[in-house]
């Protein structure tokens, strides 16, 4: 009998011993685990595709606006080209009036950081794939890394322009133990990092993927140069900006299309034209998704934004000679003058118009702005006039600044940019870039804008607010301050 | 893998048994079996040879003359005779070749078997300990006490019966589950249901959370339903850690142990039990009729300064005879609630047969249950069968085989509010415009048989998943389908092996649980009236969830004989559990006809997610080692340790060790208490401490998984990291400290139990904790802090009078429990995200070291009767005058909203007298945790066969937000309102407590004490009358017994609460408040029952 007891206890011991560990180790059957992923170069490819996909839509079951919509809102709402539509929320109306509080859901940065995390994931885990996939070459790996670095830099560039000082998260969050409490980095630190990342990417990025769609829809060396030019101009580094612009221009791969009836169709509706440097590709192909703007801008009862009335009187002025026939080709294609509906991103449901992140005209006008700031006003004016010619801009919007009058040229550039990039999420950043230059020498740019757009009842308070330069940046959302004590609120919003 | 070991283990045992040596000596034994009384031969008596362990070697039946003959191969064999209707003989040694037997009749001997000796308490584990020696806190109820109730499910019947056990109905609809809480909740987010153990094996009552049965509440299946109440022998509630420790990780929320009836030796006992009941809902809140409603709407618009007559829907309120179609369809006085309500019926048939002999015992039962719900479109059908078999192979080996099969077919209301997985039919009926017709009228005023379901009315339209959705409630209840089918099969095999008789006992159990559920839903066009191209029209769904669970355990109990003074039990138990769930579902919309209700039919629209499948598996193991030592029958000490392993954790945190320790001191056994022995039967002090681990709800969270986007970028599929690897997720630990006293006096006249406890949850789980979103995720599941549940329980029962013709039993229990957060992660939110400046919002804060459940809001002071009363008043009571002598009027939320109060608006107390009602004026309004809960009852037996019983349940000292009052008196939109709004403010000078009607604006229903009510109640839960027919009468009928009973349930509720019913189940998170939204209230029921035994 004793023997039996021993046998029993031995069996029980065996049961609970080593074999249990194995028995309890279960893996899901649907879904790939990180450990099972990152094995081949195709895995990296899929993860990089995931980064781009995240620009168009939040992942399933994440209740957030699409990143494109955030870019649009943060770049336009506080500027002068939009008005509230029927479906706009109270918070959005407050933002139009520059009446922003830290509890506002519009001060959310989560969409940018979500994409940053996907970039970080690729940067952290792609290199190890080399160990398991010998067919992965260094240049392939580096090209993938360049894409991730560039999108991450681009996201940080949006953040730094919207919030100024932001936490710099450079590693992926794969585990709960990876969670960190970060303090804000200053905008200078963030910008330095952006430049470093872009420089690193530029060295290894490809110049072509072998198809036009991919060349426009994915990051190429020229995308990187363009973003760098934009970043340098934001940092007031004019010569570097001009250098980067020239790299793009001299590639001779990008050119403006002629101003005829099919211009809008070629550049926007079909997309991937010679004008485009980088676009978020929605184009109707198997399995793609429509852009988010139909509900936001077009659907009659629910649209949240319409074009500002100000556009009719100031930006797209009809020609005084023959208002019916001579028109800027941009005006009619971007919005409907009768009900101010913004049509640039398509009027159909579903709409597959691509989001244009950078076009060649952007590079040209960035260069013009840098030239104007480096006493090359004549060259700058030439660029503007060239663009105006190709867009059939009307005489009524022509300006004649003196080539030595940098401020005048800059104003002209700003006006031309507002026509060229209407509703592309750039207006606010353009204004702010100019206003903050040389220690807010041109604050008048912002104050003039307010005079034109903000509701009369709150105009005075908006003007007073804008005297405080901290107010030009959005607050950190209140809920974020609760969960990270290291985050310090933008001082303007603590009053 | 464990299975394999169990099998090999069984094989080892079998091998041991076979090793029986053969003996060469062969003799033969023969003889005659006769009746002792009349000396007639007994035909067919079973004559068996037994070995020294009592195992049957060979058996024959006696022939027509009562003769038998058997070969004997071993001297040690003994012989025994048994026959139906006779007493079995004791085994006798075979000392001669001819042995005759005289059998004694066993007539009527089975009737009055009283079980002598002490009741063994059962914690379901197989470790049996005298109840009086139990060191843990355990409450037990015998099913005899509750078997007469109509309850479909045993949890309904348990309400208010045991201390520390709080059971609340979630709804009065058939098949709706009960919310069971044992000593509060130990986890603020995650699994909070107690573990149910049936016949020693865990029994899942909730639908696995990974099933996407689009239409069912997470535990809406009330799987306890599958156990017919008449099959239940007793139920125990294990409350403290010493008692639950053996059940390990799943017992953190307490354990409910249910034992079913088994067969016993005797001739077949056939029993038939019938219950039939009639039930109806208590009266609803009185609502406005069509005319009152129409005039209210016009007034709302006028007060809001809006034009109504020009709006698109004005014709629905114009009662214009020139527009006959609208006139007939929108000039009614419809009582929508009455339209969807009906009388409910229930029938429950239970047939069982049980009995057995020395070797085999059996009990088999079949149950049919049918319930028509009190809301139209609801009903439940259940068929179940159970067979419990025990076979005694020898005195050493016994095995049992139990098989349970259940088929459930339940019809529920269509869940149109999918996010919360519930049906809004009743809510919509409350709010529906009463001037609208139920059935469509044609232009000549003739009523047709079509439901009147306009695509859109003034109230709006049907929107899936929206709380603003509206529709024809009766059409939704009757035309839409939500059909749930369940099949559950539970085979269980058990083996008991006395390795050393009376010393070492081995038991092994294996159970498979095959639980398949199917849900079919269909929303036809007529239910919503939406146009045919709408995605909600003719949408069909078919989902399947199949769960397969294998559970096994092996126990070893060692009870050495250490002399008179010492008692020792050493016990160990090994458990394993493997559960696999697969789910499939398919959805389609816009099938061509409302009769094509299956998603397999090719239809116009199959969107993203129209088909899905899922698979998940979890495993757990546990090993318990424990011992109980008793010295001098007075000092008892128990200690145990359990190791748990669970596949839901990452490799680093997969295993946990959880100790428990407890002791008991029986004071009444001490020599100095000798004098009291005449009246004190038992006086003991108990105390225990133990830790139990709790595993999280979801599988695989310790893995970082990548998923596909549902679309491609440039034709390439994109992959993203969908979650964070929860490498740090640890066991939630619940440590419980319990001290109790047990006193029983006057031979059972008084039995008293009192306990105080503190349950401390450390490493508490929190799902969806907000984290800094620069990490790329907004929330993560985490172990966040420490929470306490502390309280006390007291229960008293006994027999007050015990005479020949009169017996009075009584019972009383009372408990108190409170939840306190002791320490919590800095990420944990400290307040809910309710904006107090919006209507119908209450503020909730989490403060460390304070009980939660408190809510905050404004203080309601009535209605501004005129312009003068809206002038702001300073703290001295004087009107505030501005610097230019102007009057300063009361404002709301200056400067952000800056609304100036108007006459007729709700008046809120300006706590800080600044003339501005804002967040600074919110105050504590109440707490939704009951101070006391419990129940009491009495039973009176006259002449031994007439019995009256009454049972009460109560909750005391808690506040509830009357959500129905908010929505039925808001006068803010097109929802119908209660008749209370007839006294609303209408013109300057009106003095009333009901503000004016304002469409779409105003601040008249802010979260305030106006809606907070004391929801304490005392409910006469049941009244029973039972009559047993006399024995002699029965014998003449050839029956053993017959009894009839009549029972009324939920007859009377004493409460000051003004809503429909004060009993509301709380879905508890740290921020939840108790809100009564008037789901189907507990129904009033009259039941007739009949029990016949043959």
């Amino acid at each position: 009998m004793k023997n039996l007891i021993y046998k029993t206890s031995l069996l029980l011991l065996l049961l609970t011993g080593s074999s249990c560990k194995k028995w309890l180790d279960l893996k899901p059957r649907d879904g790939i685990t990180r450990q099972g992923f990152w094995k081949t170069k195709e895995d990296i490819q899929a993860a990089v595709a995931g980064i781009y996909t995240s620009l168009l839509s939040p992942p399933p079951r994440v209740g957030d606006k699409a990143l494109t919509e955030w870019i649009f809102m943060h770049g336009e709402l506080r500027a002068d080209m939009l008005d509230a539509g029927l479906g706009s929320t109270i918070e959005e109306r407050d933002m139009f009036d520059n009446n922003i509080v830290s509890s506002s859901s519009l001060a959310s940065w989560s969409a940018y950081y979500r994409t940053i995390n996907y970039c970080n994931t690729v940067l952290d885990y792609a290199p190890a794939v080399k160990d398991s996939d010998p067919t992965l070459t260094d240049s392939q790996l580096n090209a993938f890394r360049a894409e991730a670095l560039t999108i991450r830099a681009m996201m940080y560039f949006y953040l730094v322009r919207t919030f100024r000082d932001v936490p710099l998260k450079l590693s992926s969050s794969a585990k709960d133990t990876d969670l960190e409490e970060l303090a804000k980095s200053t905008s200078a630190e963030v910008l330095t990092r952006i430049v470093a990342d872009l420089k690193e990417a530029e060295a290894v990025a490809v110049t072509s993927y072998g198809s036009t769609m991919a060349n426009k829809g994915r990051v190429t060396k020229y995308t990187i140069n363009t973003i760098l030019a934009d970043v340098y101009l934001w940092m007031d580094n004019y010569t570097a900006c001009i250098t980067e612009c020239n790299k793009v221009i001299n590639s001779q791969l990008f050119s403006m299309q002629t101003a005829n009836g099919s211009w809008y169709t070629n550049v926007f509706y079909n997309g991937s034209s010679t004008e485009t440097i980088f676009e978020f590709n929605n184009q109707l192909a198997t399995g793609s998704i429509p852009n988010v703007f139909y509900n936001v801008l077009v659907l009659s009862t629910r649209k949240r934004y319409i074009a500002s009335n100000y556009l009719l009187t100031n930006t797209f002025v009809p020609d005084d000679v023959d208002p019916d026939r001579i028109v800027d080709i941009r005006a009619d294609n971007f919005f409907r003058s009768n009900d101010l509906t913004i049509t640039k991103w398509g009027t159909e449901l579903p709409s597959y118009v691509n989001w244009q992140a950078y076009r060649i005209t952007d590079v040209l006008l960035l260069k013009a702005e840098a030239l104007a700031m480096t006493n090359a006003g004549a060259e700058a004016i030439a660029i503007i006039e060239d663009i105006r010619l190709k867009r059939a801009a009307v005489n009524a919007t022509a300006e004649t600044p003196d080539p030595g009058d940098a401020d005048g040229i800059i104003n002209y550039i700003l006006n031309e940019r507002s026509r060229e990039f209407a509703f592309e999420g750039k207006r606010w950043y353009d204004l702010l870039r100019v206003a903050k230059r040389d220690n807010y020498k041109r604050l008048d740019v912002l104050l003039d804008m307010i005079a034109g757009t903000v509701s009369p009842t709150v105009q005075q308070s908006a003007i007073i607010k804008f005297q405080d330069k901290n107010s030009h940046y959005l607050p950190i959302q209140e809920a974020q301050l609760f969960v990270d004590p290291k985050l310090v609120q933008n001082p303007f919003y603590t009053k | 893998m464990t299975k394999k070991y169990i099998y090999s283990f069984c094989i080892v045992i079998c091998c041991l048994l076979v090793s029986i040596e053969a003996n060469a000596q062969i003799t033969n034994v023969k003889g005659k079996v006769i009746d002792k009384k009349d000396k007639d031969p007994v035909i067919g008596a079973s004559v068996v040879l037994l070995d020294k362990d009592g195992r049957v070697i060979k058996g024959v039946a006696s022939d027509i003359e009562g003769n038998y003959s058997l070969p004997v191969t071993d001297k040690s064999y003994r012989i025994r005779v048994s026959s139906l209707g006779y007493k079995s003989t004791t085994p006798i040694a075979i000392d001669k070749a001819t042995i005759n037997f005289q059998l004694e009749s066993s007539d009527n001997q089975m009737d009055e078997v009283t079980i002598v000796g002490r009741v063994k308490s059962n914690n379901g584990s197989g470790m049996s300990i005298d109840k009086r020696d139990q060191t843990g806190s355990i409450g037990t109820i015998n099913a005899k006490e509750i078997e007469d109730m109509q309850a479909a499910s045993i949890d309904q019947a348990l309400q208010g019966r045991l201390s520390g056990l709080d059971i609340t109905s979630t709804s009065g609809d058939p098949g709706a589950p009960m919310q069971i809480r044992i000593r509060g909740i130990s986890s603020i987010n995650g699994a909070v249901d107690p573990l149910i153990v049936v016949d020693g094996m865990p029994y899942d009552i909730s639908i696995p959370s990974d099933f996407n049965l689009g239409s069912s509440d997470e535990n809406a299946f009330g799987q306890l339903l599958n156990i017919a109440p008449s099959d239940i022998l007793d139920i125990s509630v294990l409350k403290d850690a010493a008692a639950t420790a053996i059940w390990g990780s799943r017992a953190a929320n307490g354990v409910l142990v249910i034992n079913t009836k088994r067969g016993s030796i005797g001739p077949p006992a056939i029993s038939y039990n019938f219950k039939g009941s009639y039930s109806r809902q208590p009266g609803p809140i009185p609502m406005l009729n069509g005319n009152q409603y129409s005039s209210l709407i016009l007034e709302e618009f006028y007060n809001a300064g809006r034009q109504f007559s020009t709006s698109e829907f004005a014709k629905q309120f114009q009662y214009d005879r020139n527009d006959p179609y609208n006139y007939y369809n929108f000039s009614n006085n419809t009582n929508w609630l009455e339209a969807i309500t009906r009388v409910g019926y229930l029938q429950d048939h239970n047939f069982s047969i049980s009995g057995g002999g020395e070797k085999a015992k059996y009990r088999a039962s079949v149950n049919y249950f049918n319930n028509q719900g009190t809301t139209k479109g609801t009903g439940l059908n259940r068929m179940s069968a159970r067979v419990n078999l025990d076979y005694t192979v020898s005195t050493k080996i016994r095995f049992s085989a139990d098989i349970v099969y259940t088929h459930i077919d339940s019809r529920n209301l269509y869940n149109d509010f999918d996010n919360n997985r519930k049906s809004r039919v009743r809510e919509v009926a409350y709010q529906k415009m009463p001037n609208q017709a139920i059935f469509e009228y044609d232009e000549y005023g003739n009523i047709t048989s079509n439901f009147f379901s306009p695509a859109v009315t003034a109230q709006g339209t049907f929107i899936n998943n929206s709380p603003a959705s509206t529709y024809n409630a009766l059409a939704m209840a009757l035309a839409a389908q939500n059909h749930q089918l369940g099949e559950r099969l539970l085979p269980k095999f058990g083996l008991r092996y006395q390795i050393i008789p009376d010393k070492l006992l081995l038991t092994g159990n294996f159970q498979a649980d095959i639980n398949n559920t199917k849900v079919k839903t269909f929303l036809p066009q007529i239910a919503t009236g939406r146009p045919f191209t709408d995605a909600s029209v003719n949408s069909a769904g078919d989902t399947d969830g199949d769960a397969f669970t294998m559970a096994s355990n092996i126990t070893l109990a060692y009870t050495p004989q250490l002399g008179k003074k010492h008692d020792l039990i050493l016990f160990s138990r090994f458990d394993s559990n493997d559960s696999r769930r697969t789910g499939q579902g398919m959805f389609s919309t816009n099938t061509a006809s409302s009769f094509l209700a299956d998603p397999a039919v090719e239809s116009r629209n199959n969107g993203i997610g129209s088909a899905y499948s899922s698979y998940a598996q979890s495993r757990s193991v546990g090993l318990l080692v424990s011992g109980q030592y008793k010295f001098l029958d007075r000092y008892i000490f128990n200690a145990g340790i359990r190791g748990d392993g669970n596949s839901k954790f990452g490799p680093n945190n997969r295993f946990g060790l959880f100790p428990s320790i407890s002791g008991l001191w029986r004071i009444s056994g001490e020599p100095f208490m000798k004098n009291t022995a005449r009246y004190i039967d038992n006086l003991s002090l108990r105390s225990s401490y133990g830790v139990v681990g709790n595993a999280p709800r979801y599988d695989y969270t310790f893995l970082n998984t990548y998923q596909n986007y549902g679309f491609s970028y440039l034709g390439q599929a994109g992959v993203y990291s969908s979650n964070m690897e929860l490498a740090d997720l640890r066991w939630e630990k619940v440590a419980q400290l319990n001290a109790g006293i047990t006193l029983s006096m006057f031979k059972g006249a008084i039995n008293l139990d009192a306990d105080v406890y503190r349950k401390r949850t450390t490493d508490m789980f929190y799902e969806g904790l907000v984290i800094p979103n620069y990490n790329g995720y907004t929330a993560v599941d985490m172990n966040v802090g420490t929470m306490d549940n502390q309280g006390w329980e007291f229960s008293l029962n006994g027999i007050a009078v015990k005479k020949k013709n009169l017996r009075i039993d009584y019972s009383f229990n009372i408990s108190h429990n409170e939840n306190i957060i002791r320490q919590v992660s800095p990420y944990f939110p400290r307040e809910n995200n309710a904006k107090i400046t919006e209507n119908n919002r209450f503020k909730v804060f989490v403060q460390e070291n304070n009980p939660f459940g408190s809510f905050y809001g404004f203080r309601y002071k009535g209605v501004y009767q005129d312009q003068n009363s809206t002038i702001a008043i300073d703290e001295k009571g004087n009107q505030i005058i501005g610097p230019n002598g102007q009057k300063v009027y009361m404002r709301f939320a200056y400067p952000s909203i800056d609304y100036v109060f108007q006459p007729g608006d709700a008046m809120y107390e300006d706590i800080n007298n600044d003339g501005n009602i804002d967040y600074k004026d919110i105050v504590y309004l109440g707490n939704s945790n009951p101070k006391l809960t419990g129940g009491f009852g009495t039973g009176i037996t006259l002449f031994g066969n007439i019995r009256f019983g009454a049972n009460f349940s109560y909750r005391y000292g808690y506040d509830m937000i009357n959500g129905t009052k908010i929505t039925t008196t808001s006068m803010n939109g097109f929802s119908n309102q209660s008749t209370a709004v007839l006294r609303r403010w209408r013109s300057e000078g009106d003095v009333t407590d009901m503000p004016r009607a304002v469409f779409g604006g105003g601040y008249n229903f802010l979260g305030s004490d106006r809606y907070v009510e004391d929801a304490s109640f005392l409910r006469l839960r049941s009244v029973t009358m039972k009559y047993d027919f006399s024995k002699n009468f029965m014998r003449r009928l050839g029956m053993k017994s017959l009894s009839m009973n009549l029972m009324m349930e939920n007859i009377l509720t004493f409460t000051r609460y003004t809503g429909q019913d004060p009993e509301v189940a709380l879905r508890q998170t740290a921020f939840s408040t108790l809100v009564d939204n008037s789901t189907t209230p507990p129904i009033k029921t009259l039941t007739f029952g009949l029990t016949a035994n043959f």
Side-chain angles (χ1 to χ4, degrees), chain A residues 32 34 109 173-174 287 483-484, chain B residues 704 706 712 725 773-775 827:
Chain A
I32 326 144
R34 187 179 70 235
W109 62 28
S173 309
V483 291
D484 180 1
Chain B
N704 181 195
Y706 287 48
S712 67
E725 168 184 338
N773 55 19
Y774 52 69
N775 289 298
Y827 291 146

Side-chain angles (χ1 to χ4, degrees), chain B residues 137-440:
Chain B
S137 175
I138 296 180
T140 303
I141 188 160
N142 193 300
K144 265 249 162 323
E145 298 176 41
I146 44 179
E147 70 182 3
D148 302 330
M149 296 178 82
Q150 62 84 27
S153 143
I154 200 70
D155 41 1
Q156 282 177 14
L158 276 177
Q159 239 179 335
R161 297 301 181 102
L162 289 166
S163 65
L165 179 69
D166 189 25
I167 298 185
T168 326
S169 62
T170 53
S171 154
D173 287 330
M178 307 292 277
Q179 191 187 61
I180 307 172
R181 297 289 173 261
I182 296 172
R183 289 186 169 173
I185 51 153
S186 60
S187 184
I188 40 173
N189 199 325
V192 288
D193 284 318
L195 172 71
I196 311 287
V197 173
V198 178
D199 289 338
M201 299 303 270
Y203 184 87
D204 284 317
I205 55 162
S206 58
I207 290 292
S209 49
D210 40 17
F211 277 9
N212 181 9
L213 296 175
S215 52
S216 66
D217 193 290
E218 237 160 58
N219 46 14
F221 270 103
Q223 290 277 359
L224 270 181
L225 278 171
N226 292 350
I227 309 169
S230 53
D231 283 342
I232 290 172
L233 179 69
D234 61 28
I235 299 170
S236 305
V237 183
L238 314 189
K239 293 181 281 197
D240 73 344
T244 60
I246 52 154
W247 287 106
S249 68
R250 296 162 76 191
N253 295 298
V255 184
L256 213 57
V257 177
I258 297 174
N259 289 306
T260 60
K261 291 176 186 162
R262 309 194 71 86
S264 54
I265 299 175
I270 296 166
S271 167
Y272 169 74
N273 189 304
F274 165 79
K275 282 174 213 162
S277 76
Y278 161 96
S279 48
R280 60 177 186 84
Q281 282 176 19
I285 298 165
M287 302 300 280
L288 297 183
N289 65 25
N291 301 337
Q292 293 163 334
Y293 169 78
S294 300
S295 62
L296 170 73
I297 295 299
L298 297 183
E299 197 176 310
E300 274 183 24
F301 268 79
Y302 175 80
N303 285 341
R306 295 203 200 188
Q307 279 283 343
F308 186 61
S309 55
T310 55
S311 80
E312 175 181 1
F313 302 109
K315 55 184 186 289
Q316 294 171 0
F317 296 90
Q318 280 164 342
Y319 295 72
D320 181 0
R321 279 182 184 279
N322 296 322
D323 179 4
Y325 181 79
N326 279 316
Y327 172 74
Y328 289 116
N329 284 307
F330 288 102
S331 64
N332 299 278
N333 286 320
T334 305
N335 186 336
W336 285 96
L337 224 46
E338 201 177 276
I340 60 160
T341 307
R342 65 180 173 194
V343 169
Y345 295 102
L346 174 149
Q347 49 174 323
D348 184 3
H349 304 268
N350 196 75
F351 177 83
S352 71
I353 177 161
S354 71
E358 303 269 312
K359 288 284 158 194
K361 291 175 221 129
Y362 59 89
R363 185 175 190 278
S365 69
V366 191
N367 177 272
Y368 174 73
F369 178 88
N370 175 288
N371 183 359
Q372 170 183 290
T374 53
T375 303
K376 285 182 185 167
T378 63
L380 177 75
N381 262 310
R382 180 187 66 207
M383 275 289 295
S384 64
R386 171 182 286 274
V387 179
N388 288 354
L389 288 177
D390 295 284
Y391 190 81
T392 312
V393 180
S394 71
T395 49
K396 282 195 163 175
I397 296 181
R398 252 168 61 186
F399 71 83
S400 64
D402 303 349
I403 293 178
V404 188
Y405 169 73
T406 313
H407 169 82
I408 281 199
D409 176 347
S410 100
R411 273 166 299 123
N412 303 319
L413 297 173
Y414 187 85
N415 291 307
D416 53 314
F417 197 28
D418 230 14
N419 295 339
N420 290 351
R421 297 198 170 169
K422 65 170 192 182
S423 171
R424 289 183 64 251
V425 166
R426 201 176 158 82
E427 203 177 323
V428 167
Y430 259 119
Q431 296 170 2
K432 193 70 198 163
M433 45 205 276
N435 58 332
Q436 184 184 326
I438 301 176
F439 292 98
E440 192 169 6

Side-chain angles (χ1 to χ4, degrees), chain B residues 38-50:
Chain B
D38 51 21
K39 311 294 178 195
D40 285 342
V42 178
I43 307 160
S46 130
V47 185
V48 290
L49 289 179
L50 306 167

Side-chain angles (χ1 to χ4, degrees), chain B residues 730-787:
Chain B
R730 303 179 297 275
W731 288 91
E732 179 178 83
K733 292 178 216 58
V734 181
Q736 190 168 184
L737 199 59
N738 187 87
I741 182 167
T742 304
L743 173 66
S744 59
M745 293 171 77
F746 307 115
K747 301 203 164 36
I750 296 175
N751 294 302
L752 181 152
D753 270 289
D755 283 276
V756 288
Y757 63 89
R758 193 183 69 194
K759 239 166 136 177
R760 172 157 289 180
T761 309
T762 48
D763 281 341
M764 177 170 66
F765 290 137
Y766 191 78
E767 281 169 19
L769 186 71
V770 175
I771 52 167
N773 55 19
Y774 52 69
N775 289 298
Y777 299 92
T778 50
V780 68
D781 299 351
M782 211 186 252
N783 300 87
V784 292
T786 305
M787 180 176 75

